[in-house]
Amino acid sequence: MTFQQIELTTENQLAYITINRPDVRNALNKETLDEMMQALETLAEDEEVGAVVFTGKGDKSFAAGADISQLTEKTAADALSAKGMQHVYDVIESYEKPTIAMINGYALGGGCELAMACDIRVASTKAKLGLPELNLSIIPGAGGTQRLARLVGKGKALEMILTGKIIDAQEAVQFGLVAEAVEPDELAAKVEEIAAKILAKGPLAVKLAKLSVHMGTETDMKTGLMLEKLSQAILFNSDDKNEGTRAFLEKRKADFQGK
Ligand code: COA
């Protein structure tokens, strides 16, 4: 499959979706989002791929948000469309495989929203994050008002959104928006290290842990706890749980099959 707006590469069970529009700071136009969706569909079927990493081409930007040249043409009908950026990020958040945002530079607007839809965010110390949409007299409309508030709390989210404040990676770590910030030349290795830890786990447990956290935090505690209980019931009956527990007792590395 050939792409024009993104690059899709795979290495050691890790797929990389790299937004490839460095001249416009990896701004996200419709074509880029369409290609992202195609890549995700392909990767969902690929059993060799255990996790997906999103990043941006070059050393300046992860993604500088929606492509403003296309925004000028948008109408209310576009915002209401079931296939917009908000939908793409919903697909990413509920994606079966774990996702990591490798934030190599600016993650602004839709770029920050993309990162927030991923399970884990790791940033270069040069990264800058924010939701400056109000400068254009629009709001973060691809999950930003909801995910930022859930990640950093309502107070910090309102400060960032209403003022358009751009924060650096260190501050993003402090507020829980980013898991870790490392020197730019250590970013790729850090992402590989985190991914390797996830990939060493039973895939079924990874899938159900992700589902329990994402869905459980969007419902009341009792329902969330039931979701957790039912997920655990599935895992208690799985071959991988038998393998994982046996391997621990036999002091060897587990060989998980995802069953
Ligand atoms: N949409 C379309 N084009 C964009 C863009 C976006 N979101 N972000 C950057 N670009 C383009 C610029 O128009 C410029 O194009 P040009 O070379 O034809 O003039 C090019 O990318 C480089 O941008 P520039 O502003 O010169 O780079 P910079 O390194 O000085 O600043 C940013 C980088 C990301 C801070 C700045 O470009 C910016 O603020 N972008 C908009 C961010 C935003 O508001 N996002 C939310 C959109 S809803």
Side-chain angles (χ1 to χ4, degrees):
M1 191 175 288
T2 53
F3 295 107
Q4 262 77 51
Q5 318 293 331
I6 62 165
E7 276 177 11
L8 175 59
T9 50
T10 51
E11 206 181 318
N12 303 330
Q13 283 187 275
L14 259 189
Y16 291 83
I17 295 179
T18 305
I19 303 155
N20 189 15
R21 308 185 74 219
D23 292 348
V24 286
R25 302 295 182 263
N26 298 320
L28 297 153
N29 60 3
K30 184 184 178 307
E31 295 75 13
T32 308
L33 295 171
D34 287 347
E35 289 191 7
M36 250 183 216
M37 286 291 274
Q38 283 171 36
L40 287 167
E41 276 167 30
T42 306
L43 296 172
E45 304 297 319
D46 189 339
E47 287 183 7
E48 298 297 308
V49 170
V52 180
V53 177
F54 289 88
T55 193
K57 192 83 173 173
D59 58 2
K60 287 203 172 82
S61 189
F62 172 75
D67 191 317
I68 298 171
S69 64
Q70 287 189 344
L71 267 183
T72 56
E73 298 150 23
K74 298 265 187 217
T75 63
D78 293 311
L80 292 168
S81 154
K83 294 197 165 173
M85 193 184 257
Q86 193 191 69
H87 168 70
V88 175
Y89 295 175
D90 261 359
V91 168
I92 292 170
E93 189 175 68
S94 51
Y95 200 58
E96 255 188 69
K97 304 183 189 200
T99 53
I100 301 175
M102 181 161 94
I103 306 171
N104 54 310
Y106 288 111
L108 303 180
C112 186
E113 290 173 308
L114 167 63
M116 290 193 289
C118 292
D119 298 322
I120 298 176
R121 285 155 292 285
V122 187
S124 134
T125 44
K126 287 205 170 146
K128 301 228 182 296
L129 299 93
L131 295 177
E133 282 89 342
L134 268 69
N135 293 335
L136 308 172
S137 204
I138 55 172
I139 62 169
T145 60
Q146 302 306 302
R147 292 197 179 96
L148 186 65
R150 281 161 173 74
L151 283 166
V152 305
K154 203 159 89 172
K156 185 71 185 167
L158 278 167
E159 184 217 357
M160 286 178 66
I161 292 169
L162 296 183
T163 66
K165 184 180 185 184
I166 309 292
I167 61 172
D168 61 26
Q170 286 81 354
E171 190 174 349
V173 170
Q174 200 186 321
F175 282 95
L177 176 54
V178 157
E180 277 192 71
V182 296
E183 291 299 317
D185 59 354
E186 291 166 12
L187 182 61
K190 176 54 74 179
V191 166
E192 280 168 32
E193 180 193 318
I194 292 171
K197 284 185 184 156
I198 301 170
L199 292 169
K201 311 284 184 280
L204 207 54
V206 170
K207 202 181 287 183
L208 289 169
K210 178 174 164 160
L211 185 140
S212 296
V213 172
H214 280 307
M215 298 200 70
T217 49
E218 292 311 319
T219 183
D220 61 283
M221 183 78 165
K222 262 189 182 298
T223 312
L225 287 171
M226 182 49 71
L227 197 62
E228 180 185 272
K229 193 183 281 250
L230 294 173
S231 296
Q232 190 74 303
I234 293 168
L235 292 165
F236 273 14
N237 268 0
S238 72
D239 292 348
D240 278 355
K241 168 265 197 177
N242 294 338
E243 168 61 10
T245 49
R246 232 182 271 129
F248 176 83
L249 296 172
E250 291 167 8
K251 302 191 189 310
R252 62 174 173 81
K253 195 171 170 291
D255 179 18
F256 295 121
Q257 302 297 322
K259 290 180 192 159

